Amino acid sequence: MDGIETSKLLDEELYSRQMYVLGLPAMQRIQEAKVLLSGLQGLGAEVAKNLVLMGVGSLTLHDPHPTCWSDLASQFFLSEQDLEKSRAEASQELVAKLNGAVQVCIHTGDITEDLLLDFQVVVLTASKLEEQLKVGSLCHKLGVCFLVADTRGLVGQLFCDFGEDFTVQDPTEAEPRTAAIQHISQGSPGILTLRKEADAHYFCDGDLVTFSGIEGMVELNGCAPQPIHVREDRTLEIGDTTTFSCYLRGGAVTEVKRPKTVSHKPLDAALLQPRVVAPSPQEVHRAHCLHQAFRALHKFQHHNGRPPRPWDPVDADMVVGLAQALEPLKGTEGETLEEPLDEALVRTVALSSSGGLSPMAAILGAVAAQEVLKAVSGKFMPLDQWLYFDALDCLLEHEKPLPNPEDCAPRRCRYDGQIAVFGAGFQKTLSHQHYLLVGAGAIGCELLKGFALVGLGTQGSGGVTVADMDYIERSNLSRQFLFRPQDIGRPKSEVAAKAAHRLNSDLQVTAFTNPLDPSTENIYEDNFFSRMDGVAAALDSFQARRYVAARCTHYLKPLLEAATQGTWGSASVFMPYVTDVYRAPASATASEDAPYPVCTVRHFPSTVEHTLQWARDEFEGLFYLSAKTINRHQQAPTSLADTDGPQVLTLLQGVLGVLRERPQTWQDCVVWALGHWQLCFHDGIMQLLKHFPPDKVLEDGTLFWSGPKRCPQPLEFDASQDTHLLYVLAAANLYAQMHGLPGSQDRTVLRGLLKFLPLPDPQHLAPNFVNDLDLDLASAEFGPEQLKKLHEALEVWSVGPPLQPLMFKKDNDSNFHMDFVVAAASLRAQNYGILPANRIQSKQIVGRIIPAIATTTAVVAGLVVLELYKVVGGARSLGAFRHSHLHLAENRFSRWVPRAPDIQMEQHGLRVRMLLHGRALLYSAGWSPEKQAQHLPLRVTELVQQVTGRVPKPRQQVLVLELSCEGEEEDMTFPPLHYEL
């Protein structure tokens, strides 16, 4: 535990998705953190996995107890070969392999006060109450953050004590609110008016703000945070600006988040006066009963030297008696709570408490790991102070018999922890299930781990089929724990399948690298789906989710689905005939992949997203499409059709720039890059203002440059400004790469070179054939003479080896791709007075990256496996199932019963229309005798062929007919009719 490096450089590529959740300052604090984790059963393994993936500085494992059979149901670092070995020692190597940047140590002795001084956070799992009180008292005295996590069957608890004066630096996940400024008056107070597109409702009285990018009243830029007052007209009072310079234009006002202070009680006090996280009074009462159940279980073990036996009614009654004899709990004001003990709840907890379940460990372990991050980073509000979670709804419903002790007795097998809760019969049912998992990313890896641990698809015709077309990238490694550095570039599905098989050698897992979409319905066809008992979806787009959900509806298969964004997560279950079908949020489906208007991006940007899209388009045109165009002409010279001329000219105008022939040296590339800077950020803007002057007035009397249209300002090149220099450096290097020339990363030499290069004159910004053209902003028409000059330029540029088209890659920080986009977008933002995005924000927007963190992923996967228990368990009513939603940053957890499917009343004498893949078959009680005689004697397949002209495919097993009844007033819809061939 000595000699740990405390000033590591953050690996931004590895942690890129996590940084969008936590931010750079929090990540830097996390990688310097030292954590002690005691207890390495399934719950401890989950905590360790998440902390190491997320990059804590060091993790010390403590668990001298020997591995036993019941551990293997949830402890994925252990196997049959580790039985009787120390859990910590057997786990260390595999834990360390998750992230080479984290130091993983072992402590074999007792937990003493001297030991605790080395750590910022201590986590106890599966520990006795006596140890919890001892260590908790020491940690509270020493100022060490302390957590207790435990699971008993289908119930879990988490306790946090961060001390009496813990500062939360950044309480929320949301980015600081920012708005563009329209005007600031001089006065006391100064009045700030926001631009019309800004939402002033984001600001509240007393908010602290700061300012940036203001021209004129520069005294405000970077000022100390100051409070604002929101006026009735939504303008903002910002303090005395009387002596400041006159406001000219631009700038943004940005919220400054305020730290908050949290006060926690030590465990001994919090045991009798628990503050619980619960959304309603009913849930608070349930949490209090669970709190007493855990206290009673500790007492039972203390008195008997063992936990209650699985489903033993005598032991369960004893636990209930111990709970009834406990001292009553106290409220927040110290008053005695007069709450009745839910004896049935306590009895059920006791009956199933000896089991250890993978999904429960995943959920509680992930939440505990998130609390550790809060402790070491000061990011997000910690729990206050107890959290109880139960999934007792997974047990069979009241009208069905509960498991019996004989069926739940240990069998010295890897599923003993699960058999103790559900019984050996249920375990056999699980082993014969065959599930399709769509997606082997972060959630998919967690689900595969869960499937392997619970024993899904391990016997007979059972199995797990995983489908994913993607390949592993380095940024996946901080969340997708089945992958290792040596797997980068390999198919996700194949690597994940092999890794899951290593977790459980009985798992019958098959990998598909084909996407699941309309183009592969010949692969994922009737025979394929007929072998599946259900589908689990771990997808990152609503389009893909809708398609998979439609396939499940088509084949009447249960669908388990999960999604995350940052610390937000959801898990859902959709059962044929029982729940409503999957419905994507309307707002999400409308916004997904919606393009920005071309004219807005090119000439009238108003948001940072517009500037980044413009920069991304610039990259595509300059370094990819232009190279492909020149190469195509070089391979097969052809005459350009009139309709091709404008597009090709637009590409070549940029790539040729000030040069008359191909570049031969690095300096040629720098000359081109400088010329293109001048064209984009000075001369192009001047040309735009020539067409639309700042004072241009429309026919209705309004200014052209008003509303969302921002009047741009040309920039003057200055090599001493970092963004100017970065643009030329990146553009010149990309231009050199495209032409097969060596580049340079030496900024000092480049800055010196630029001092001696004159800025190109406007008439020299393109070859002669471009100079002659008077290009309109929206379109251009080319005559024979202009096309001739275009041909001449192509001929000159086509001499020599083929150019290298550059495919944009956002995750390589050394290839200048993101450097170019960030610099170009920042300069464009300066032109239009838009607050630019930093590099991390730019990469997220350009790459459409979804913020992600390992903890949220693990929670939603655990919630999905809980619903899997219910689906596999057989016919259940709607009330047994749960949709779930959570927000770890704000400690919000909710579960609710899904909607029932739509039910339609039977109606007679109505036309029935059967749709087969878009074709209609008609039958009606009102048909004429001739029509009935024509159609009714036919078999269904013959009728399909006669009406639609289509014959069922040779391997087709089912016709899916969509039925609807059309009445006099309204259409009615019904579930699909499956006709087996």
Side-chain angles (χ1 to χ4, degrees):
M1 291 179 287
D2 296 329
I4 297 173
E5 178 63 47
T6 58
S7 58
K8 308 171 189 173
L9 290 175
L10 184 67
D11 189 334
E12 294 187 15
E13 182 182 358
L14 177 64
Y15 299 115
S16 61
R17 307 305 187 267
Q18 186 172 309
M19 284 182 61
Y20 300 129
V21 181
L22 301 173
L24 182 58
M27 282 297 304
Q28 290 170 333
R29 290 191 287 268
I30 289 168
Q31 73 169 0
E32 296 176 359
K34 299 180 181 180
V35 180
L36 171 64
L37 170 62
S38 179
L40 263 295
Q41 292 179 302
L43 178 55
E46 289 285 349
V47 176
K49 176 205 67 183
N50 292 317
L51 291 179
V52 172
L53 287 175
M54 295 186 296
V56 296
S58 73
L59 177 65
T60 298
L61 307 177
H62 173 256
D63 192 334
H65 299 96
T67 301
C68 59
W69 280 108
S70 61
D71 295 336
L72 304 186
S74 56
Q75 221 287 25
F76 44 88
F77 294 123
L78 302 175
S79 67
E80 290 87 342
Q81 289 72 38
D82 298 313
L83 292 170
E84 302 305 323
K85 296 179 183 178
S86 156
R87 294 190 190 113
E89 292 179 356
S91 301
Q92 181 189 20
E93 182 179 356
L94 290 180
V95 173
K97 284 184 178 180
L98 293 175
N99 189 342
V102 177
Q103 184 167 352
V104 179
C105 312
I106 293 178
H107 176 69
T108 57
D110 294 334
I111 298 178
T112 64
E113 183 170 349
D114 288 341
L115 175 71
L116 296 176
L117 289 170
D118 288 334
F119 300 99
Q120 293 166 265
V121 186
V122 173
V123 184
L124 301 186
T125 72
S127 54
K128 296 180 180 179
L129 181 59
E130 295 80 9
E131 182 182 19
Q132 295 172 11
L133 290 168
K134 170 193 166 187
V135 177
S137 176
L138 289 173
C139 287
H140 193 84
K141 181 180 76 171
L142 299 172
V144 176
C145 294
F146 175 65
L147 289 86
V148 173
D150 200 1
T151 61
R152 304 291 182 99
L154 287 161
V155 180
Q157 75 172 175
L158 178 61
F159 169 76
C160 297
D161 172 14
F162 290 2
E164 298 175 5
D165 189 23
F166 180 79
T167 300
V168 184
Q169 301 291 344
D170 188 352
T172 66
E173 187 170 8
E175 288 292 322
R177 295 165 289 186
T178 298
I181 298 170
Q182 179 70 39
H183 181 72
I184 305 174
S185 69
Q186 290 175 301
S188 182
I191 306 300
L192 184 151
T193 304
L194 300 174
R195 292 184 65 89
K196 289 184 179 180
E197 67 270 19
D199 191 344
H201 294 278
Y202 284 152
F203 293 102
C204 304
D205 270 353
D207 279 351
L208 294 178
V209 299
T210 189
F211 307 89
S212 61
I214 296 173
E215 296 183 36
M217 197 176 285
V218 294
E219 294 88 347
L220 285 174
N221 289 331
C223 67
Q226 56 183 289
I228 58 171
H229 170 65
V230 182
R231 295 155 53 105
E232 290 185 3
D233 61 358
R234 309 310 299 175
T235 58
L236 310 178
E237 294 181 2
I238 62 170
D240 190 354
T241 60
T242 306
T243 61
F244 291 174
S245 307
C246 182
Y247 175 82
L248 295 178
R249 60 181 162 272
V253 53
T254 302
E255 172 200 19
V256 177
K257 290 187 177 182
R258 299 186 187 211
K260 292 186 177 180
T261 301
V262 170
S263 179
H264 283 170
K265 296 180 179 179
L267 179 60
D268 55 356
L271 269 177
L272 293 177
Q273 195 174 4
R275 299 199 301 250
V276 297
V277 177
S280 67
Q282 294 81 5
E283 291 298 317
V284 169
H285 176 236
R286 186 177 181 88
H288 284 165
C289 292
L290 294 175
H291 183 82
Q292 298 294 70
F294 268 89
R295 293 178 66 196
L297 287 170
H298 280 297
K299 282 187 173 295
F300 182 97
Q301 184 147 4
H302 180 74
H303 293 326
N304 296 279
R306 60 169 178 83
R309 296 184 183 92
W311 295 96
D312 186 319
V314 175
D315 284 357
D317 287 341
M318 187 179 298
V319 172
V320 173
L322 291 170
Q324 291 170 329
L326 289 171
E327 181 181 349
L329 299 177
K330 297 183 182 298
T332 55
E333 301 300 323
E335 75 282 9
T336 299
L337 296 178
E338 301 295 336
E339 294 179 323
L341 181 70
D342 188 337
E343 295 180 9
L345 174 62
V346 175
R347 180 174 287 102
T348 303
V349 170
L351 288 168
S352 57
S353 63
S354 63
L357 300 175
S358 163
M360 291 297 298
I363 294 166
L364 270 295
V367 178
Q370 187 69 55
E371 294 306 301
V372 172
L373 291 198
K374 294 176 183 179
V376 299
S377 70
K379 179 82 171 180
F380 308 145
M381 292 294 292
L383 285 171
D384 187 30
Q385 288 184 263
W386 291 93
L387 172 70
Y388 283 92
F389 175 85
D390 80 89
L392 296 171
D393 43 81
C394 291
L395 297 173
L396 292 175
E397 296 173 275
H398 297 301
E399 64 270 16
K400 298 182 180 178
L402 294 173
N404 61 70
E406 293 76 19
D407 193 39
C408 299
R411 281 158 171 74
R412 294 181 62 79
C413 75
R414 66 174 300 120
Y415 308 115
D416 276 357
Q418 186 164 269
I419 289 173
V421 178
F422 295 111
F426 178 78
Q427 189 62 50
K428 184 176 180 181
T429 303
L430 265 175
S431 69
H432 287 276
Q433 292 283 300
H434 197 145
Y435 263 70
L436 169 64
L437 171 60
V438 190
I443 298 175
C445 283
E446 286 288 337
L447 286 175
L448 266 179
K449 175 206 70 183
F451 293 165
L453 293 176
V454 303
L456 181 73
T458 57
Q459 294 183 20
S461 60
V464 175
T465 298
V466 54
D468 195 312
M469 64 180 290
D470 285 345
Y471 292 80
I472 298 168
E473 300 177 358
R474 191 161 183 271
S475 62
N476 299 149
L477 302 183
S478 67
R479 294 162 293 114
Q480 302 173 17
F481 89 107
L482 296 181
F483 304 149
R484 300 293 179 268
Q486 62 268 25
D487 299 321
I488 293 172
R490 297 175 60 195
K492 286 184 176 181
S493 60
E494 294 180 358
V495 175
K498 291 179 180 178
H501 188 263
R502 287 194 294 270
L503 294 179
N504 183 350
S505 59
D506 293 329
L507 180 67
Q508 300 176 161
V509 58
T510 306
F512 278 66
T513 57
N514 312 91
L516 189 69
D517 60 28
S519 70
T520 57
E521 290 184 3
N522 62 318
I523 299 173
Y524 306 105
E525 32 75 77
D526 290 355
N527 280 330
F528 179 88
F529 273 97
S530 69
R531 301 193 302 270
M532 299 299 152
D533 294 294
V535 177
L539 299 161
D540 58 4
S541 78
F542 288 104
Q543 180 182 1
R545 290 176 193 147
R546 284 195 301 271
Y547 177 78
V548 171
R551 292 281 87 191
C552 291
T553 301
H554 182 94
Y555 290 107
L556 297 176
K557 301 296 180 182
L559 171 64
L560 302 164
E561 189 267 341
T564 69
Q565 180 167 340
T567 62
W568 297 86
S570 65
S572 305
V573 55
F574 304 96
M575 284 289 292
Y577 311 117
V578 179
T579 72
D580 196 5
V581 297
Y582 171 84
R583 303 177 191 274
S587 59
T589 56
S591 62
E592 195 169 62
D593 296 330
Y596 299 114
V598 174
C599 194
T600 298
V601 171
R602 288 182 179 174
H603 309 300
F604 310 117
S606 60
T607 68
V608 70
E609 287 80 7
H610 294 157
T611 66
L612 284 163
Q613 184 62 55
W614 175 85
R616 180 67 179 81
D617 293 344
E618 275 279 289
F619 183 99
E620 191 81 359
L622 291 172
F623 309 117
Y624 179 72
L625 295 177
S626 61
K628 291 190 68 175
T629 299
I630 292 173
N631 290 346
R632 185 167 59 248
H633 183 78
Q634 186 181 43
Q635 296 168 2
T638 56
S639 295
L640 292 169
D642 290 350
T643 54
D644 291 335
Q647 291 85 347
V648 174
L649 176 62
T650 301
L651 291 173
L652 294 182
Q653 180 183 8
V655 77
L656 304 184
V658 298
L659 303 181
R660 298 298 192 273
E661 57 186 18
R662 279 194 178 204
Q664 303 298 316
T665 66
W666 165 246
Q667 182 168 327
D668 290 343
C669 297
V670 173
V671 169
W672 172 84
L674 180 61
H676 200 72
W677 189 103
Q678 189 73 6
L679 175 66
C680 291
F681 308 114
H682 183 275
D683 296 330
I685 299 299
M686 295 295 292
Q687 181 74 1
L688 181 64
L689 292 175
K690 179 180 177 181
H691 283 78
F692 304 112
D695 57 355
K696 180 178 177 63
V697 178
L698 300 175
E699 292 181 1
D700 62 1
T702 60
L703 284 171
F704 177 84
W705 295 106
S706 62
K709 287 191 178 71
R710 295 168 176 256
C711 184
Q713 302 292 324
L715 303 181
E716 299 294 336
F717 183 78
D718 183 356
S720 66
Q721 293 194 31
D722 289 340
T723 306
H724 294 211
L725 185 71
L726 177 61
Y727 178 91
V728 174
L729 179 71
N733 271 283
L734 294 170
Y735 200 64
Q737 293 173 27
M738 188 172 71
H739 289 87
L741 299 172
S744 171
Q745 299 190 32
D746 194 324
R747 298 191 182 206
T748 303
V749 172
L750 177 60
R751 189 173 274 118
L753 176 60
L754 289 170
K755 291 181 180 179
F756 300 100
L757 290 179
L759 288 174
D761 295 330
Q763 63 267 26
H764 295 142
L765 282 176
N768 292 334
F769 73 89
V770 177
N771 294 340
D772 298 340
L773 300 178
D774 182 15
L775 291 178
D776 184 83
L777 287 171
S779 64
E781 296 181 358
F782 303 94
E785 182 64 24
Q786 292 144 334
L787 286 173
K788 178 183 176 182
K789 292 179 178 179
L790 177 58
H791 271 293
E792 292 173 355
L794 267 176
E795 293 299 332
V796 171
W797 228 257
S798 297
V799 175
L803 301 184
Q804 177 62 49
L806 304 181
M807 290 283 290
F808 180 75
K809 297 179 180 179
K810 66 181 183 303
D811 288 324
N812 184 342
D813 288 335
S814 63
N815 62 8
F816 291 102
H817 293 199
M818 277 307 302
D819 293 313
F820 176 84
V821 169
V822 171
S826 180
L827 292 165
R828 187 75 165 173
Q830 291 180 39
N831 279 138
Y832 285 86
I834 299 169
L835 188 67
N838 61 34
R839 185 185 182 88
I840 294 175
Q841 294 166 336
S842 297
K843 185 183 288 189
Q844 180 182 3
I845 295 169
V846 170
R848 297 182 179 180
I849 295 171
I850 300 173
I853 192 168
T855 47
T856 318
T857 299
V859 173
V860 298
L863 291 167
V864 164
V865 178
L866 290 178
E867 297 307 308
L868 174 71
Y869 284 149
K870 303 172 189 177
V871 174
V872 173
R876 301 207 184 194
S877 65
L878 178 67
F881 298 99
R882 297 290 185 273
H883 288 338
S884 302
H885 187 266
L886 59 105
H887 189 195
L888 294 180
E890 298 185 7
N891 307 313
R892 297 180 187 172
F893 308 87
S894 59
R895 302 176 76 211
W896 67 96
V897 175
R899 279 185 52 188
D902 294 333
I903 299 176
Q904 303 288 355
M905 299 298 293
E906 181 181 356
Q907 298 189 18
H908 300 284
L910 302 178
R911 281 188 305 158
V912 177
R913 183 178 64 229
M914 295 184 288
L915 299 176
L916 176 65
H917 303 298
R919 301 295 184 93
L921 304 174
L922 299 177
Y923 167 73
S924 174
W927 275 353
S928 66
E930 294 80 10
K931 201 168 187 179
Q932 292 184 34
Q934 178 184 1
H935 292 295
L936 294 186
L938 298 176
R939 299 179 60 187
V940 170
T941 53
E942 295 171 336
L943 184 60
V944 169
Q945 184 176 355
Q946 183 181 99
V947 176
T948 69
R950 300 176 61 181
V951 180
K953 299 175 183 177
R955 299 179 63 190
Q956 189 167 347
Q957 297 181 345
V958 177
L959 291 177
V960 181
L961 308 174
E962 295 181 8
L963 310 180
S964 67
C965 289
E966 298 176 348
E968 296 180 358
E969 297 181 357
E970 60 180 356
D971 288 354
M972 300 186 67
T973 59
F974 292 87
L977 172 66
H978 285 63
Y979 181 83
E980 294 186 0
L981 300 179

